[in-house]
Protein backbone atom coordinates (compact mmCIF):
# COMPACT_ATOMS: atom_id res chain seq x y z
CA UNK A 1 0.00 0.00 0.00
CA UNK A 2 2.81 2.41 0.84
CA UNK A 3 4.56 1.73 -2.47
CA UNK A 4 1.29 2.23 -4.31
CA UNK A 5 0.73 5.52 -2.52
CA UNK A 6 4.26 6.66 -3.36
CA UNK A 7 3.74 5.76 -7.02
CA UNK A 8 0.52 7.73 -7.15
CA UNK A 9 2.17 10.71 -5.53
CA UNK A 10 5.11 10.52 -7.95
CA UNK A 11 2.72 10.25 -10.90
CA UNK A 12 0.79 13.27 -9.67
CA UNK A 13 4.01 15.28 -9.33
CA UNK A 14 5.05 14.31 -12.86
CA UNK A 15 1.72 15.47 -14.21
CA UNK A 16 2.28 18.86 -12.60
CA UNK A 17 5.63 19.30 -14.35
CA UNK A 18 5.56 22.67 -16.14
CA UNK A 19 8.92 22.02 -17.82
CA UNK A 20 8.51 18.79 -19.79
CA UNK A 21 11.67 17.33 -21.27
CA UNK A 22 11.92 16.70 -24.98
CA UNK A 23 14.11 13.78 -26.11
CA UNK A 24 17.20 14.87 -28.02
CA UNK A 25 16.21 12.69 -30.95
CA UNK A 26 13.16 14.95 -31.46
CA UNK A 27 15.18 18.18 -31.41
CA UNK A 28 16.52 19.58 -34.66
CA UNK A 29 19.27 22.23 -34.67
CA UNK A 30 19.27 24.72 -37.53
CA UNK A 31 21.59 27.50 -38.66
CA UNK A 32 18.81 30.09 -38.36
CA UNK A 33 18.07 29.01 -34.80
CA UNK A 34 21.73 29.26 -33.88
CA UNK A 35 21.95 32.76 -35.37
CA UNK A 36 18.89 33.94 -33.46
CA UNK A 37 20.27 32.40 -30.26
CA UNK A 38 23.60 34.19 -30.72
CA UNK A 39 21.82 37.55 -31.23
CA UNK A 40 19.60 36.93 -28.20
CA UNK A 41 22.56 36.08 -25.95
CA UNK A 42 24.36 39.23 -27.12
CA UNK A 43 21.35 41.40 -26.28
CA UNK A 44 21.04 39.72 -22.88
CA UNK A 45 24.68 40.40 -22.05
CA UNK A 46 24.53 44.06 -23.15
CA UNK A 47 21.29 44.85 -21.31
CA UNK A 48 22.43 43.01 -18.18
CA UNK A 49 25.65 45.06 -18.22
CA UNK A 50 23.70 48.32 -18.55
CA UNK A 51 21.29 47.23 -15.84
CA UNK A 52 24.22 46.79 -13.47
CA UNK A 53 25.13 50.46 -13.97
CA UNK A 54 21.51 51.40 -13.21
CA UNK A 55 21.78 49.36 -10.01
CA UNK A 56 24.96 51.24 -9.04
CA UNK A 57 23.33 54.63 -9.69
CA UNK A 58 21.98 56.55 -6.69
CA UNK A 59 19.46 59.36 -6.36
CA UNK A 60 18.43 61.86 -3.69
CA UNK A 61 15.10 61.52 -1.90
CA UNK A 62 13.57 64.65 -0.38
CA UNK A 63 11.17 64.52 2.57
CA UNK A 64 9.59 67.31 4.59
CA UNK A 65 8.56 67.50 8.21
CA UNK A 66 8.00 70.09 10.92
CA UNK A 67 11.13 71.28 12.73
CA UNK A 68 10.51 70.80 16.45
CA UNK A 69 13.93 71.96 17.62
CA UNK A 70 13.73 75.63 18.60
CA UNK A 71 15.82 75.52 21.78
CA UNK A 72 19.21 74.93 20.18
CA UNK A 73 21.60 77.61 19.00
CA UNK A 74 22.11 78.53 15.36
CA UNK A 75 25.64 78.80 14.03
CA UNK A 76 26.47 81.48 11.46
CA UNK A 77 29.64 80.97 9.40
CA UNK A 78 31.01 84.17 7.90
CA UNK A 79 33.82 84.95 5.48
CA UNK A 80 33.31 88.41 3.97
CA UNK A 81 35.85 90.89 2.61
CA UNK A 82 34.91 94.58 2.72
CA UNK A 83 36.84 97.31 0.88
CA UNK A 84 37.38 99.35 4.06
CA UNK A 85 39.99 99.25 6.78
CA UNK A 86 39.26 97.06 9.76
CA UNK A 87 39.31 99.91 12.30
CA UNK A 88 36.47 101.65 10.45
CA UNK A 89 33.85 98.86 10.42
CA UNK A 90 32.12 96.53 12.88
CA UNK A 91 29.96 93.41 12.57
CA UNK A 92 27.38 92.04 14.99
CA UNK A 93 23.96 90.36 15.21
CA UNK A 94 20.72 91.72 16.63
CA UNK A 95 17.89 89.19 16.85
CA UNK A 96 14.15 89.71 16.95
CA UNK A 97 14.14 89.84 20.76
CA UNK A 98 16.49 92.85 20.63
CA UNK A 99 19.32 90.68 21.94
CA UNK A 100 22.75 91.70 20.70
CA UNK A 101 25.08 88.76 20.18
CA UNK A 102 28.74 89.29 20.97
CA UNK A 103 30.99 89.06 17.94
CA UNK A 104 33.88 87.47 19.80
CA UNK A 105 34.01 84.60 17.32
CA UNK A 106 34.76 86.92 14.39
CA UNK A 107 38.26 87.88 13.34
CA UNK A 108 39.22 91.09 11.51
CA UNK A 109 42.14 90.54 9.15
CA UNK A 110 43.65 93.31 6.96
CA UNK A 111 43.92 92.08 3.35
CA UNK A 112 43.93 93.31 -0.22
CA UNK A 113 40.54 93.34 -1.88
CA UNK A 114 41.91 91.76 -5.06
CA UNK A 115 42.32 87.99 -4.85
CA UNK A 116 45.55 86.09 -5.63
CA UNK A 117 45.53 84.11 -8.90
CA UNK A 118 44.79 80.74 -7.29
CA UNK A 119 41.86 82.06 -5.29
CA UNK A 120 40.59 84.04 -8.27
CA UNK A 121 40.38 80.78 -10.27
CA UNK A 122 38.34 79.19 -7.49
CA UNK A 123 36.12 82.27 -7.34
CA UNK A 124 35.40 82.10 -11.09
CA UNK A 125 34.67 78.38 -10.80
CA UNK A 126 32.28 79.05 -7.94
CA UNK A 127 30.45 81.71 -9.94
CA UNK A 128 30.07 79.26 -12.84
CA UNK A 129 28.65 76.60 -10.51
CA UNK A 130 26.20 79.13 -9.06
CA UNK A 131 25.06 80.08 -12.55
CA UNK A 132 24.45 76.45 -13.52
CA UNK A 133 22.62 75.77 -10.24
CA UNK A 134 20.09 78.48 -11.07
CA UNK A 135 19.32 76.74 -14.37
CA UNK A 136 19.81 73.04 -13.57
CA UNK A 137 18.50 72.31 -10.10
CA UNK A 138 19.37 68.61 -10.42
CA UNK A 139 23.04 69.62 -10.26
CA UNK A 140 22.62 70.05 -6.50
CA UNK A 141 22.11 66.29 -6.16
CA UNK A 142 25.45 65.70 -7.88
CA UNK A 143 27.13 68.16 -5.51
CA UNK A 144 25.54 66.43 -2.50
CA UNK A 145 26.89 63.04 -3.60
CA UNK A 146 30.32 64.35 -4.63
CA UNK A 147 30.83 66.19 -1.30
CA UNK A 148 32.80 69.02 -2.92
CA UNK A 149 35.20 70.63 -0.50
CA UNK A 150 35.48 74.34 0.14
CA UNK A 151 37.88 76.89 -1.32
CA UNK A 152 41.62 76.73 -0.75
CA UNK A 153 42.86 78.31 2.43
CA UNK A 154 43.66 81.97 2.08
CA UNK A 155 47.26 82.87 2.81
CA UNK A 156 48.15 86.00 4.72
CA UNK A 157 49.42 88.86 2.63
CA UNK A 158 53.10 89.68 2.88
CA UNK A 159 52.45 93.41 2.37
CA UNK A 160 52.61 95.81 5.28
CA UNK A 161 49.41 96.45 7.21
CA UNK A 162 49.42 100.10 6.20
CA UNK A 163 49.15 99.21 2.50
CA UNK A 164 46.21 96.81 3.04
CA UNK A 165 43.02 98.76 2.34
CA UNK A 166 40.41 95.98 2.85
CA UNK A 167 39.24 93.91 5.80
CA UNK A 168 38.40 90.23 5.86
CA UNK A 169 35.82 89.34 8.52
CA UNK A 170 35.71 85.59 9.10
CA UNK A 171 34.72 83.20 11.85
CA UNK A 172 31.42 82.01 13.33
CA UNK A 173 28.72 83.13 15.75
CA UNK A 174 26.11 81.26 17.81
CA UNK A 175 22.74 83.00 17.91
CA UNK A 176 19.25 82.19 19.13
CA UNK A 177 17.09 80.24 16.73
CA UNK A 178 14.87 83.23 15.93
CA UNK A 179 14.82 85.83 13.20
CA UNK A 180 17.65 88.33 13.33
CA UNK A 181 19.85 90.80 11.49
CA UNK A 182 23.55 90.29 10.85
CA UNK A 183 25.09 93.52 9.61
CA UNK A 184 28.40 95.18 8.86
CA UNK A 185 28.43 98.95 9.07
CA UNK A 186 30.64 101.90 9.94
CA UNK A 187 32.11 102.00 13.46
CA UNK A 188 32.45 99.48 16.24
CA UNK A 189 29.26 98.45 18.02
CA UNK A 190 28.52 99.42 21.61
CA UNK A 191 25.67 98.30 23.91
CA UNK A 192 22.64 100.56 24.17
CA UNK A 193 19.50 100.42 26.37
CA UNK A 194 17.30 100.30 23.27
CA UNK A 195 19.47 97.89 21.33
CA UNK A 196 22.91 98.88 20.19
CA UNK A 197 24.76 101.62 18.34
CA UNK A 198 27.87 102.07 16.20
CA UNK A 199 30.55 104.71 16.72
CA UNK A 200 30.52 106.18 13.23
CA UNK A 201 31.11 109.81 14.10
CA UNK A 202 34.88 109.46 14.02
CA UNK A 203 34.95 108.00 10.48
CA UNK A 204 35.08 110.39 7.55
CA UNK A 205 32.34 110.09 4.93
CA UNK A 206 34.84 109.94 2.11
CA UNK A 207 36.33 106.69 3.45
CA UNK A 208 33.02 104.82 3.14
CA UNK A 209 33.23 101.98 0.62
CA UNK A 210 31.01 98.96 1.14
CA UNK A 211 32.12 97.09 -1.95
CA UNK A 212 32.36 93.54 -0.70
CA UNK A 213 32.88 89.93 -1.63
CA UNK A 214 31.12 87.09 0.17
CA UNK A 215 33.50 84.16 0.01
CA UNK A 216 31.28 82.09 2.27
CA UNK A 217 28.09 82.52 4.28
CA UNK A 218 26.28 79.52 5.73
CA UNK A 219 24.21 78.49 8.71
CA UNK A 220 24.75 75.39 10.81
CA UNK A 221 27.72 73.07 10.82
CA UNK A 222 29.85 73.51 7.66
CA UNK A 223 29.65 70.38 5.51
CA UNK A 224 31.28 69.39 2.22
CA UNK A 225 28.87 69.16 -0.69
CA UNK A 226 26.84 72.27 0.16
CA UNK A 227 27.34 75.45 -1.85
CA UNK A 228 25.38 78.33 -0.38
CA UNK A 229 23.58 80.78 -2.69
CA UNK A 230 25.67 83.78 -1.59
CA UNK A 231 29.06 82.07 -1.91
CA UNK A 232 31.13 83.94 -4.48
CA UNK A 233 28.89 87.04 -4.53
CA UNK A 234 30.83 90.21 -5.30
CA UNK A 235 29.36 93.73 -5.22
CA UNK A 236 31.27 96.82 -6.36
CA UNK A 237 30.01 100.34 -5.76
CA UNK A 238 31.40 103.79 -6.51
CA UNK A 239 29.08 105.60 -4.08
CA UNK A 240 30.26 106.07 -0.53
CA UNK A 241 26.73 105.92 0.92
CA UNK A 242 25.41 102.59 -0.26
CA UNK A 243 23.16 100.03 1.45
CA UNK A 244 23.20 96.34 0.53
CA UNK A 245 20.36 94.20 1.87
CA UNK A 246 20.03 90.42 1.77
CA UNK A 247 16.76 88.80 2.89
CA UNK A 248 17.46 85.19 3.83
CA UNK A 249 15.09 82.32 4.62
CA UNK A 250 16.87 79.50 6.46
CA UNK A 251 15.66 75.90 6.05
CA UNK A 252 16.88 73.23 8.53
CA UNK A 253 18.27 70.25 6.63
CA UNK A 254 19.19 66.68 7.52
CA UNK A 255 21.70 65.36 5.02
CA UNK A 256 22.34 61.62 4.83
CA UNK A 257 24.54 60.41 1.97
CA UNK A 258 27.13 57.66 1.67
CA UNK A 259 29.86 60.23 2.40
CA UNK A 260 28.19 62.70 4.79
CA UNK A 261 25.61 62.30 7.53
CA UNK A 262 24.83 65.42 9.58
CA UNK A 263 22.35 68.18 10.33
CA UNK A 264 22.87 71.60 8.78
CA UNK A 265 20.91 74.46 7.22
CA UNK A 266 20.28 75.65 3.68
CA UNK A 267 18.82 78.99 2.69
CA UNK A 268 17.29 80.99 -0.11
CA UNK A 269 17.97 84.69 -0.58
CA UNK A 270 16.70 87.80 -2.30
CA UNK A 271 18.80 90.94 -2.46
CA UNK A 272 18.32 94.66 -2.80
CA UNK A 273 20.68 97.62 -2.95
CA UNK A 274 20.23 101.35 -3.07
CA UNK A 275 22.16 104.60 -2.64
CA UNK A 276 21.49 106.53 0.56
CA UNK A 277 20.45 110.07 -0.32
CA UNK A 278 18.47 111.86 2.36
CA UNK A 279 17.76 114.82 0.08
CA UNK A 280 16.04 112.50 -2.41
CA UNK A 281 14.09 110.65 0.29
CA UNK A 282 16.25 107.53 0.32
CA UNK A 283 16.93 107.15 4.03
CA UNK A 284 18.90 104.51 5.84
CA UNK A 285 22.35 103.56 7.04
CA UNK A 286 25.23 102.64 4.78
CA UNK A 287 26.41 99.07 5.21
CA UNK A 288 25.74 95.40 4.53
CA UNK A 289 22.59 93.99 6.15
CA UNK A 290 21.59 90.33 6.16
CA UNK A 291 18.13 89.83 7.60
CA UNK A 292 17.38 86.17 8.18
CA UNK A 293 14.32 84.20 9.21
CA UNK A 294 14.00 80.49 10.01
CA UNK A 295 11.49 78.21 8.31
CA UNK A 296 9.33 75.90 10.41
CA UNK A 297 9.79 73.04 7.92
CA UNK A 298 12.76 70.68 7.86
CA UNK A 299 14.09 69.01 4.74
CA UNK A 300 15.48 65.46 4.91
CA UNK A 301 17.80 64.60 2.03
CA UNK A 302 18.67 60.90 1.76
CA UNK A 303 20.80 59.17 -0.85
CA UNK A 304 19.18 55.94 -2.07
CA UNK A 305 19.82 53.27 -4.65
CA UNK A 306 17.98 50.31 -6.15
CA UNK A 307 17.63 47.34 -3.73
CA UNK A 308 19.23 44.02 -4.65
CA UNK A 309 15.94 42.13 -4.99
CA UNK A 310 14.63 44.69 -7.50
CA UNK A 311 17.85 44.40 -9.51
CA UNK A 312 17.47 40.61 -9.65
CA UNK A 313 13.81 40.87 -10.70
CA UNK A 314 14.66 43.31 -13.50
CA UNK A 315 17.54 41.08 -14.60
CA UNK A 316 15.25 38.03 -14.78
CA UNK A 317 12.72 40.09 -16.72
CA UNK A 318 15.37 41.10 -19.26
CA UNK A 319 16.61 37.53 -19.79
CA UNK A 320 13.16 35.95 -19.91
CA UNK A 321 11.69 38.70 -22.08
CA UNK A 322 14.44 38.53 -24.69
CA UNK A 323 14.37 34.72 -24.73
CA UNK A 324 10.59 34.59 -25.22
CA UNK A 325 10.48 37.40 -27.76
CA UNK A 326 13.26 36.01 -29.95
CA UNK A 327 11.62 32.57 -29.80
CA UNK A 328 8.29 33.98 -31.00
CA UNK A 329 9.92 36.04 -33.74
CA UNK A 330 11.94 33.06 -34.92
CA UNK A 331 8.83 30.87 -34.98
CA UNK A 332 6.79 33.49 -36.85
CA UNK A 333 9.48 34.03 -39.47
CA UNK A 334 9.89 30.29 -39.90
CA UNK A 335 6.13 29.89 -40.33
CA UNK A 336 5.99 32.58 -43.00
CA UNK A 337 8.94 31.05 -44.83
CA UNK A 338 7.28 27.62 -44.76
CA UNK A 339 4.02 29.05 -46.11
CA UNK A 340 5.74 30.81 -48.99
CA UNK A 341 7.86 27.76 -49.84
CA UNK A 342 4.85 25.42 -49.73
CA UNK A 343 2.89 27.63 -52.14
CA UNK A 344 5.74 27.49 -54.62
CA UNK A 345 6.07 23.74 -54.23
CA UNK A 346 2.32 23.24 -54.84
CA UNK A 347 2.74 24.92 -58.25
CA UNK A 348 0.40 27.84 -57.74
CA UNK A 349 2.69 30.16 -59.64
CA UNK A 350 3.49 27.61 -62.44
CA UNK A 351 1.62 27.85 -65.81
CA UNK A 352 -0.99 25.09 -66.39
CA UNK A 353 -0.50 23.06 -69.63
CA UNK A 354 -3.73 21.49 -70.98
CA UNK A 355 -3.42 18.37 -73.22
CA UNK A 356 -6.39 17.39 -75.52
CA UNK A 357 -7.04 13.72 -76.36
CA UNK A 358 -9.16 12.71 -79.49
CA UNK A 359 -12.24 10.67 -78.49
CA UNK A 360 -14.18 8.25 -80.84
CA UNK A 361 -17.58 9.44 -82.13
CA UNK A 362 -20.54 8.45 -80.00
CA UNK A 363 -22.43 6.72 -82.92
CA UNK A 364 -19.53 4.49 -84.07
CA UNK A 365 -19.97 0.78 -83.45
CA UNK A 366 -17.37 -1.95 -83.89
CA UNK A 367 -17.90 -4.29 -86.94
CA UNK A 368 -19.74 -7.56 -86.33
CA UNK A 369 -18.08 -10.83 -87.23
CA UNK A 370 -19.21 -12.57 -90.48
CA UNK A 371 -21.29 -15.73 -90.14
CA UNK A 372 -20.11 -17.37 -93.39
CA UNK A 373 -16.51 -17.18 -92.49
CA UNK A 374 -14.88 -20.60 -92.12
CA UNK A 375 -14.42 -21.86 -88.67
CA UNK A 376 -10.93 -22.11 -87.46
CA UNK A 377 -9.48 -25.57 -87.57
Amino acid sequence: MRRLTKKKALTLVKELDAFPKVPESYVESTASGGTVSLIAFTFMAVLAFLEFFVYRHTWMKYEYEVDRDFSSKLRINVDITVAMRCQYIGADVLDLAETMVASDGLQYEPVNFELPPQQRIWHMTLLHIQERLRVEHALQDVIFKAAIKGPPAQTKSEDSTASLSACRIHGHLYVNKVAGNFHITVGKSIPHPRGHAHLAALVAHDSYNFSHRIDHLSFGEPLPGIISPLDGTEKITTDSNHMFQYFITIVPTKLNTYKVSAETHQYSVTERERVINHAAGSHGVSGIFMKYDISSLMVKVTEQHMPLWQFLVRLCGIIGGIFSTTGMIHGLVGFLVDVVCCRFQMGIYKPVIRVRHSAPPHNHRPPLPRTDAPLPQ
Side-chain angles (χ1 to χ4, degrees):
M1 292 296 292
R2 291 183 178 179
R3 291 181 178 179
L4 185 60
T5 305
K6 289 182 179 180
K7 288 183 179 180
K8 289 182 178 181
L10 185 59
T11 303
L12 179 61
V13 172
K14 288 182 178 180
E15 291 179 356
L16 295 175
D17 186 9
F19 307 98
K21 310 300 184 295
V22 180
E24 293 184 1
S25 58
Y26 296 161
V27 178
E28 181 181 0
S29 300
T30 60
S32 61
T35 303
V36 173
S37 299
L38 184 61
I39 295 174
F41 291 148
T42 304
F43 270 105
M44 289 180 191
V46 172
L47 292 181
F49 185 72
L50 296 178
E51 189 66 24
F52 178 73
F53 280 96
V54 175
Y55 170 70
R56 293 288 303 274
H57 175 70
T58 60
W59 63 89
M60 309 305 294
K61 180 181 179 182
Y62 292 84
E63 298 176 312
Y64 304 91
E65 63 181 27
V66 177
D67 183 20
R68 297 179 176 86
D69 182 17
F70 288 100
S71 59
S72 61
K73 295 289 185 177
L74 177 64
R75 173 170 169 161
I76 304 179
N77 307 296
V78 179
D79 191 351
I80 301 176
T81 302
V82 185
M84 289 182 66
R85 295 184 181 275
C86 293
Q87 62 266 27
Y88 294 158
I89 57 177
D92 56 11
V93 178
L94 186 66
D95 62 19
L96 195 62
E98 298 295 332
T99 302
M100 189 180 74
V101 180
S103 58
D104 299 337
L106 298 180
Q107 301 179 16
Y108 295 80
E109 179 184 344
V111 294
N112 286 318
F113 190 77
E114 293 297 328
L115 289 172
Q118 183 180 3
Q119 295 177 358
R120 176 58 64 179
I121 293 174
W122 165 255
H123 184 260
M124 298 301 295
T125 304
L126 189 58
L127 290 179
H128 180 68
I129 294 175
Q130 294 282 23
E131 181 182 357
R132 299 311 304 171
L133 279 173
R134 296 186 186 98
V135 180
E136 302 176 7
H137 301 286
L139 182 60
Q140 182 62 60
D141 295 347
V142 179
I143 297 175
F144 277 146
K145 292 185 286 187
I148 297 178
K149 297 183 179 180
Q154 296 189 17
T155 58
K156 291 187 177 182
S157 177
E158 298 180 356
D159 299 337
S160 62
T161 307
S163 63
L164 301 176
S165 59
C167 182
R168 179 191 174 204
I169 304 174
H170 60 97
H172 62 272
L173 298 169
Y174 286 96
V175 299
N176 297 323
K177 210 170 181 181
V178 295
N181 182 5
F182 171 75
H183 53 271
I184 302 173
T185 187
V186 180
K188 302 297 180 181
S189 61
I190 57 174
H192 193 271
R194 296 184 179 180
H196 76 296
H198 288 262
L199 293 175
L202 302 178
V203 182
H205 247 345
D206 297 339
S207 61
Y208 288 13
N209 185 2
F210 283 99
S211 300
H212 62 280
R213 180 179 59 253
I214 304 176
D215 295 314
H216 181 69
L217 178 69
S218 65
F219 299 86
E221 296 297 327
L223 297 176
I226 294 182
I227 297 179
S228 300
L230 287 177
D231 290 357
T233 301
E234 190 173 51
K235 299 290 184 179
I236 306 297
T237 179
T238 56
D239 297 308
S240 57
N241 292 332
H242 208 112
M243 174 188 285
F244 297 93
Q245 292 177 305
Y246 299 94
F247 301 93
I248 300 172
T249 301
I250 304 171
V251 181
T253 304
K254 286 184 178 180
L255 184 62
N256 186 12
T257 66
Y258 293 108
K259 294 184 178 181
V260 178
S261 180
E263 295 185 9
T264 184
H265 294 75
Q266 300 182 91
Y267 64 87
S268 61
V269 61
T270 56
E271 57 186 68
R272 183 188 176 204
E273 59 180 88
R274 60 188 175 93
V275 178
I276 303 300
N277 188 350
H278 298 287
S282 178
H283 304 291
V285 178
S286 302
I288 305 166
F289 299 87
M290 300 180 180
K291 299 180 180 181
Y292 60 88
D293 195 3
I294 302 174
S295 174
S296 59
L297 292 179
M298 174 182 289
V299 180
K300 296 177 65 177
V301 185
T302 307
E303 185 177 4
Q304 295 183 338
H305 73 94
M306 183 188 302
L308 180 60
W309 65 267
Q310 187 175 354
F311 168 69
L312 296 177
V313 170
R314 291 167 64 98
L315 197 62
C316 292
I318 289 174
I319 296 174
I322 293 178
F323 188 80
S324 302
T325 304
T326 53
M328 289 188 295
I329 294 176
H330 179 253
L332 179 61
V333 172
F335 173 75
L336 295 176
V337 171
D338 291 342
V339 169
V340 173
C341 291
C342 288
R343 293 181 69 181
F344 274 104
Q345 290 176 0
M346 291 172 63
I348 294 179
Y349 298 100
K350 294 180 180 179
V352 179
I353 301 176
R354 296 181 180 180
V355 180
R356 294 185 177 182
H357 298 279
S358 59
H362 295 286
N363 56 359
H364 177 75
R365 295 180 180 179
L368 296 175
R370 298 176 58 180
T371 56
D372 58 349
L375 297 173
Q377 296 295 325

